[in-house]
Amino acid sequence: MVTKEHIDNLINPRLNRVLLIVQTALSESQFQACRKLILDEFGKSGLGKELDRLFSSKEW
């Protein structure tokens, strides 16, 4: 059975790599703003929230 933790374990290393790539391309202030947006999208207010909803629904 696939769990939210399994998905997180697949996403997080890739997310870290994306953030590293973005960091090399932007100034520090731009990177901090971009990092916040990316983490919001993949964290508790974005994908994480949607995954919680999906795994708690009876449709899964």
Side-chain angles (χ1 to χ4, degrees):
M1 177 178 178
V2 176
T3 66
K4 182 178 181 291
E5 289 75 27
H6 288 124
I7 295 171
D8 286 340
N9 289 338
L10 293 171
I11 291 173
N12 287 340
R14 289 161 179 85
L15 183 57
N16 288 336
R17 184 167 169 85
V18 167
L19 288 171
L20 184 60
I21 292 166
V22 170
Q23 186 176 23
T24 64
L26 300 176
S27 70
E28 183 61 26
S29 62
Q30 290 173 319
F31 169 69
Q32 290 302 323
C34 186
R35 179 181 183 274
K36 180 181 180 343
L37 291 172
I38 291 171
L39 292 177
D40 283 349
E41 284 300 313
F42 284 89
K44 297 276 185 210
S45 61
L47 181 61
K49 184 177 183 179
E50 292 176 19
L51 288 173
D52 287 340
R53 191 176 316 129
L54 176 68
F55 281 98
S56 67
S57 76
K58 296 183 185 200
E59 295 175 21
W60 186 253

